[in-house]
Amino acid sequence: MAAQQVARRWAWLGTLLVGGALYVLVLAVFTDTANPNLFPTLILLGALVVPLTFVTFAAGRSGRWLIDGPTLGGSLLFGGVVGVVVAGLLEYDAMRRLGTLPMLGVGLIEEAAKLVVPTILVVFFGHRYRTSLGTGIVIGVAVGTGFAVLETMGYAFVALLQSDGSVGAAERTLFIRGLLSPAGHAAWTGLACWGLWRFAIVPSGKHFVGFLGMYALAVALHTTWDGIGGWVTYIIVGVISIGLLLYGLKRAQRMDQVRVPVSAA
């Protein structure tokens, strides 16, 4: 059991090394052959490696729970796709009616869209997933990661088109957005799901207000990130986002170890 826990705790390192090696391999072959068929693979790996590493990192630090691979993968895939589709539709309708959608509106819409799949899981499959705060937080991280990966792939493709086919422009987009995504969408959705799971496990007025507070916090971090921008903002917001997320995972882990009731959290 101890060996299994150690392996799960450090699985993120293997994910990073294997994923990074695959990206470098594809990039080397693409550079050598200039085969355009390899570019979609390059975009996928560039957008996925760092965010997936962060999901694996979070999964290894969330207490006694053990979420199965299909659930984690399904949260990443379906949560990301549903989030992107819902956010894209709502943002399009809002911009068509209002003309301009402020950054606060973008944050409200995207953070709500990313909660669609976690809400379905906790409402309709609560007996299976409503086991610990760690479960909810990591599902949130996976959904946010899926959203960020798809968004990054889209931005990389746009960068390629706008630069008249410059692969370097797409690579820079992949590097910057892939590197920053754990401090963005992944962390924000994890924080919102922390509040959602806390309310779902022990429903109360206090916990519902707490959920609304965590959602508002995610929106505020998202809005600050998009609205101000710049490396100073990214660093400050990123440190706050990941710091709070790790604190939540640590609390979930401690609760599992000592069997503290969730209502005491």
Side-chain angles (χ1 to χ4, degrees):
M1 180 64 70
Q4 184 180 18
Q5 290 177 346
V6 171
R8 189 161 66 93
R9 188 174 183 85
W10 291 99
W12 67 270
L13 186 58
T15 302
L16 178 61
L17 293 175
V18 172
L22 290 175
Y23 177 79
V24 171
L25 176 62
V26 174
L27 177 61
V29 175
F30 177 76
T31 303
D32 184 55
T33 64
N35 184 351
N37 291 334
L38 292 174
F39 188 70
T41 305
L42 190 69
I43 289 182
L44 176 62
L45 288 173
L48 183 63
V49 171
V50 173
L52 184 60
T53 298
F54 186 69
V55 172
T56 311
F57 174 83
R61 285 160 173 77
S62 48
R64 63 180 172 81
W65 72 275
L66 184 59
I67 187 171
D68 57 281
T71 298
L72 198 60
S75 297
L76 195 151
L77 176 60
F78 293 107
V81 171
V82 171
V84 167
V85 170
V86 172
L89 178 62
L90 294 178
E91 287 172 0
Y92 173 78
D93 287 342
M95 285 189 292
R96 188 174 59 179
R97 292 189 178 94
L98 303 177
T100 301
L101 187 62
M103 288 299 103
L104 177 59
V106 172
L108 286 168
I109 290 173
E110 291 190 356
E111 293 308 317
K114 289 184 291 179
L115 288 177
V116 172
V117 168
T119 301
I120 291 173
L121 289 177
V122 82
V123 170
F124 295 101
F125 303 96
H127 62 284
R128 180 176 180 183
Y129 299 113
R130 199 184 302 150
T131 55
S132 81
L133 293 180
T135 301
I137 293 173
V138 174
I139 285 177
V141 170
V143 170
T145 294
F147 187 96
V149 167
L150 294 174
E151 195 176 58
T152 296
M153 292 174 66
Y155 276 104
F157 183 68
V158 170
L160 180 73
L161 295 179
Q162 291 180 343
S163 62
D164 296 324
S166 172
V167 177
E171 286 179 342
R172 286 191 294 272
T173 301
L174 289 172
F175 177 77
I176 294 173
R177 293 189 63 87
L179 189 63
L180 293 176
S181 61
H185 286 297
W188 302 331
T189 312
L191 291 175
C193 284
W194 178 5
L196 175 62
W197 250 254
R198 188 166 177 253
F199 169 68
I201 295 172
V202 183
S204 69
K206 175 184 175 182
H207 287 172
F208 180 69
V209 172
F211 162 60
L212 294 180
M214 295 299 279
Y215 170 72
L217 174 62
V219 171
L221 292 169
H222 190 156
T223 302
T224 302
W225 183 284
D226 288 345
I228 299 178
W231 284 106
V232 174
T233 301
Y234 296 155
I235 291 172
I236 294 174
V237 174
V239 168
I240 294 173
S241 302
I242 292 183
L244 289 173
L245 184 74
L246 294 178
Y247 173 71
L249 288 171
K250 190 66 177 178
R251 290 199 65 172
Q253 185 181 52
R254 190 179 300 120
M255 288 169 55
D256 285 342
Q257 289 174 344
V258 300
R259 304 294 195 274
V260 175
V262 175
S263 59

